[in-house]
């Protein structure tokens, strides 16, 4: 098959692909939520093809052996992790973006203008000033890494880019986060050379929010022994429970102590679109930097995370390193509204912004607010239903769209707490294994919990009541087997 296809053939391939996508969505409910490949893994082990095959034949393989075995997050009964279903508008936008295939490191071409506008929109949503700068990245891990790199550069005396953090007389930076922070924070302080021993995990309260009094004590103790408190990370929705740290209090503390205040809002930040939920995030607008994920609560396909930094120039001071062949002549027609290459790690960057831009244009902010509110209301419905059923136990307060609970047999006199923990983990494995649901276990206060996260505009209350019915049914079966 030639690389350069005639327009009619391009149209034919597009129609075949669109048909495959429509079939995939249509058949979701008739297939297991999580498409475990299992023994069919051998189908993907083959020598490198030396000669090509007809496109139709390859697509037929994809339709039969790839698309029916998804991760599962498009299914309305996928409740694991924080993985949203994909809006078809975003799927279409990704196809258009791939057809253009621009490298979005800079330049006066449309993709850069689209991304620049998207970053201005996201900044306005979270209350950042118009001059704030940002960049789209792969997701929350890179969004937090990028922001913390800017924080390290801003907070380290001297020139950390040239001198590094090691050596006599260099400060030992200390970073503070709650003991329910995302593990990407640990990765970031490791890779940025700060070191995980210099990451303080601060105790949380009974609602899993960082304790500001304990944070103040830790900062004072570190200053007292000559260390260099530098960065505080607040969470706008933890991955375990959806808890939101007291962002306003953290912002005030950071101002008093001259610390960089970063908010990990990869999960929750876009909920600020909802007037009813916005008060939960009071203080987010005071942060020095924010991580947010459009591929969570804007329902765009992977990948689309976002880093925002309040003060313009901070990202460039951290990442600018233009080689000679990229340096533009003062009279060059190439430069555009933003050099994204100097706002992050990557030079080669795909056109992530189009799906975010098109989604916001097609749906509008109010529609996203209603969809987010519906997800949160569904989690509230589940938490209320858990409370109503005597053989279930709520494990955490429901704040956003995450509910934590576990099943307790009516007669637990013969079961220890550890055995109930194991029973709940086995319930999860059974439900995932038989394809009816996908949810993940977690640990809260030392006990196993069933964690349900709802980021899906297709989920219904009936899906949630059926989940509880199935948890109980499987639990009684497992007790009987015991």
């Amino acid at each position: 098959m030639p690389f350069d296809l005639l327009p009619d053939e391009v149209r034919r391939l597009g129609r075949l692909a669109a048909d495959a996508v429509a079939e995939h969505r249509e058949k979701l409910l008739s297939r297991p939520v999580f498409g475990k490949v299992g023994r069919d893994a051998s189908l993907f082990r083959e020598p490198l093809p030396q000669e090509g095959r007809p496109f139709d034949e390859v697509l037929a393989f994809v339709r039969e052996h790839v698309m029916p075995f998804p991760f599962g997050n498009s299914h309305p009964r996928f409740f694991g992790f924080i993985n949203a279903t994909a809006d078809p508008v975003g799927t279409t936008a990704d196809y258009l973006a791939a057809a253009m295939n621009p490298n979005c490191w800079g330049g006066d071409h449309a993709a850069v203008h689209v991304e620049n506008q998207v970053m201005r929109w996201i900044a306005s949503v979270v209350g950042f000033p118009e001059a704030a700068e940002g960049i789209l990245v792969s997701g929350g891990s890179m969004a937090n890494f990028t922001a913390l790199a800017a924080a390290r550069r801003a907070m380290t005396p001297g020139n950390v880019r040239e001198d590094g953090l090691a050596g006599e007389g260099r400060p030992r930076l200390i970073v503070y986060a709650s003991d329910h922070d995302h593990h990407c924070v640990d990765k970031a302080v490791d890779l940025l050379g700060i070191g995980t021993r210099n990451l303080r995990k601060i105790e949380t309260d009974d609602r899993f929010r960082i304790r500001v009094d304990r944070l103040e004590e830790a900062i004072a103790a570190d200053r007292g022994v000559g260390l260099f408190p530098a960065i505080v990370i607040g969470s706008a929705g933890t991955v375990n429970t959806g808890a939101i740290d007291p962002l306003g209090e953290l912002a005030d503390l950071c101002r008093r102590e001259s610390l960089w205040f970063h908010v990990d809002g990869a999960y929750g930040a876009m909920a600020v679109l909802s007037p009813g939920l916005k008060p939960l995030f009071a203080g987010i607008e005071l942060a020095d930097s924010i991580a947010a994920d459009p591929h969570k609560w804007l329902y765009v396909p992977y990948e689309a995370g976002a880093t925002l930094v309040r003060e313009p120039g901070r990202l460039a001071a951290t990442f600018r390193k233009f080689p000679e062949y990229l340096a533009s002549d003062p009279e060059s027609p190439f430069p555009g509204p933003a050099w994204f290459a100097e706002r992050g790690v990557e030079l080669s960057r795909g056109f992530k912004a189009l799906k975010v831009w098109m989604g916001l244009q097609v749906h509008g902010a109010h529609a996203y607010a209603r969809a987010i509110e519906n997800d949160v209301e569904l989690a509230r419905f589940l938490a209320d239903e858990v409370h109503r059923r005597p053989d279930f136990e709520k494990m955490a307060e429901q704040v956003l769209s995450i509910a934590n609970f576990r099943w307790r047999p009516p007669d637990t006199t013969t079961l220890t707490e550890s055995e109930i923990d194991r029973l709940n983990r086995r319930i999860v494995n059974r439900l995932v294994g038989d394809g009816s649901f996908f949810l993940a276990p977690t640990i809260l206060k030392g006990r196993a919990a069933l964690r349900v996260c709802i980021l899906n505009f297709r989920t219904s209350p009936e899906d949630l009541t059926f989940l509880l019915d199935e948890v109980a049914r499987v639990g009684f079966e497992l007790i009987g087997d015991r």
Side-chain angles (χ1 to χ4, degrees):
M1 185 176 188
F3 290 102
D4 193 11
L5 301 178
L6 294 173
D8 283 348
E9 181 64 3
V10 173
R11 292 187 182 95
R12 187 183 77 86
L13 300 189
R15 287 191 290 267
L16 290 173
D19 182 64
V21 170
E23 178 188 61
H24 168 71
R25 289 176 58 81
E26 182 181 28
K27 292 185 175 181
L28 276 175
L29 299 184
S30 63
R31 291 171 172 159
V33 177
F34 174 63
K36 182 174 172 57
V37 173
R39 296 174 182 173
D40 287 340
S42 60
L43 292 169
F44 301 95
R45 300 190 189 108
E46 59 179 335
L48 173 69
Q50 300 300 310
E51 302 295 336
R53 292 187 290 163
F55 175 86
D56 302 58
E57 182 181 320
V58 176
L59 179 60
F61 179 92
V62 171
R63 292 179 75 158
E64 182 178 357
H65 299 294
V66 178
M67 300 188 78
F69 299 92
F71 186 63
N73 47 307
S74 290
H75 197 288
R77 292 178 180 171
F78 181 94
F79 304 130
F81 318 121
I82 305 182
N83 298 112
T85 190
D87 172 15
V89 171
T91 305
T92 306
D94 256 353
Y95 178 72
L96 300 175
M100 292 180 67
N101 195 32
N103 192 341
C104 297
W105 59 268
D108 188 20
H109 55 108
V112 172
H113 285 271
V114 170
E115 181 165 351
N116 204 43
Q117 179 61 72
V118 164
M119 296 316 302
R120 285 199 297 262
W121 282 342
I122 296 175
S124 70
V125 168
V126 298
F128 263 21
E130 188 174 349
E133 292 180 343
I135 183 172
L136 290 179
V137 293
S138 59
S141 293
M142 278 306 300
N144 282 298
F145 177 89
T146 304
L148 293 175
R152 183 193 68 164
R153 172 70 176 85
M155 296 302 296
T156 307
N159 189 341
V160 70
R161 296 188 67 185
E162 295 182 5
D163 300 333
L165 289 170
E168 185 177 353
R170 301 299 289 158
R172 185 172 157 193
L173 268 61
I174 306 298
V175 179
Y176 305 87
S178 89
D179 57 15
H180 275 251
D181 72 338
H182 192 274
H183 70 275
C184 72
V185 170
D186 300 62
K187 285 186 178 181
V189 298
D190 171 7
L191 296 173
L192 289 169
I194 296 171
T196 55
R197 287 182 182 173
N198 299 318
L199 173 60
R200 304 286 186 258
K201 298 293 185 79
I202 305 301
E203 178 187 352
T204 48
D205 60 21
D206 58 356
R207 296 164 63 187
F208 301 101
R209 303 175 306 167
I210 192 170
R211 286 188 54 176
V212 179
D213 58 337
R214 291 284 190 264
L215 173 60
E216 289 179 306
E217 292 168 3
I219 292 169
D222 286 328
R223 286 200 199 281
V225 294
L227 301 180
F228 195 91
I231 304 165
V232 171
I233 302 168
S235 181
T238 62
V239 293
N240 241 5
T241 66
I244 302 169
D245 287 332
L247 303 178
E249 293 181 48
L250 293 178
D252 291 342
L253 173 62
C254 289
R255 283 182 176 178
R256 291 197 308 270
E257 298 286 345
S258 299
L259 306 179
W260 183 283
F261 179 35
H262 172 67
V263 173
D264 177 5
Y267 166 35
M270 298 314 298
V272 176
L273 282 163
S274 161
L277 297 171
K278 186 175 181 178
L280 297 173
F281 301 90
I284 192 172
E285 72 282 358
L286 302 174
D288 295 295
S289 57
I290 298 173
D293 275 5
H295 67 210
K296 289 186 172 72
W297 251 335
L298 291 187
Y299 309 106
V300 300
Y302 283 96
E303 304 165 341
T307 298
L308 286 165
V309 176
R310 166 183 294 279
E311 186 177 338
R314 289 292 190 187
L315 288 172
T318 304
F319 295 106
R320 181 185 287 122
K321 188 67 177 177
F322 263 41
E324 291 78 3
Y325 77 97
L326 295 182
S328 293
D329 183 274
E331 298 178 1
S332 170
F334 179 76
W339 293 110
F340 288 111
E342 64 178 29
R343 293 187 186 181
V345 174
E346 298 173 309
L347 177 62
S348 297
R349 302 180 63 250
F351 192 5
K352 295 180 175 70
L354 186 61
K355 55 197 170 190
V356 185
W357 185 88
M358 286 186 68
L360 287 165
Q361 291 281 6
V362 170
H363 299 298
H366 291 166
Y368 282 109
R370 290 191 295 270
I372 293 167
E373 289 164 355
N374 184 64
D375 287 344
V376 174
E377 182 57 37
L378 286 171
R380 186 175 299 118
F381 169 85
L382 178 59
D384 290 344
E385 189 69 10
V386 163
H387 182 71
R388 191 181 67 81
R389 301 189 183 202
D391 51 343
F392 284 85
E393 176 185 12
K394 187 166 73 170
M395 298 293 288
E397 178 187 2
Q398 175 265 325
V399 180
L400 295 174
S401 65
I402 295 175
N404 288 276
F405 59 92
R406 67 181 188 161
W407 186 68
R408 296 185 70 93
D411 180 9
T412 59
T413 56
T414 60
L415 294 176
T416 65
E417 289 298 312
S418 295
E419 288 173 326
I420 294 174
D421 289 344
R422 182 169 180 270
L423 174 62
N424 277 271
R425 287 192 293 270
R426 292 183 66 197
I427 290 171
V428 170
N429 291 337
R430 176 75 70 85
L431 293 177
V432 175
D434 68 19
S436 56
F437 294 93
F438 190 102
L439 63 157
T442 191
I443 303 294
L444 293 175
K445 299 175 182 176
R447 301 265 65 99
L450 307 186
R451 177 184 166 281
V452 169
C453 180
I454 303 166
L455 288 174
N456 196 318
F457 46 77
R458 307 177 80 186
T459 300
S460 70
E462 290 73 25
D463 292 316
L464 302 174
T465 53
F466 184 53
L467 168 65
L468 296 183
D469 292 343
E470 285 295 281
V471 167
R473 181 187 65 79
V474 171
F476 280 119
E477 282 186 6
L478 292 173
I479 289 177
D481 292 344
R482 178 174 176 275

